[in-house]
Amino acid sequence: KWDGFIPVPPNLVIEIVSAKRGLKGDLNKMETIWMKNGADVGLVICPFSETIYIFEKGNSGYTTQSIHQDFSHPFLTGYSDNFGKYLEEA
């Protein structure tokens, strides 16, 4: 049940932009809901611009990288993925 409170925040949250005009809303949701409630790393993946927007606990705003570059993060020990391969499959 979603009531606006996340009892145990996840280490990684991924939002995938599903509409060309949805990026702004997904970026806002990541910043104001997921990161504000304690997630370690948040990714907004935009297949339209082929960009990953990376949010990090303790930092404001986000950084970006190409969807085709391998992604890993110090907060996610042992995790690595390349989201571009999923775009190619679709």
Side-chain angles (χ1 to χ4, degrees), residues 5-20:
F5 176 71
I6 304 168
V8 178
N11 296 96
L12 174 63
V13 176
I14 298 175
E15 292 277 347
I16 300 173
V17 178
S18 59
K20 285 188 178 185

Side-chain angles (χ1 to χ4, degrees), residues 51-78:
T51 302
I52 302 171
Y53 299 82
I54 305 161
F55 292 79
E56 182 179 280
K57 186 176 189 173
N59 290 338
S60 61
Y62 55 82
T63 58
T64 62
Q65 77 171 52
S66 168
I67 200 171
H68 300 286
Q69 287 179 293
D70 289 344
F71 173 80
S72 62
H73 194 280
F75 289 169
L76 306 170
T77 305

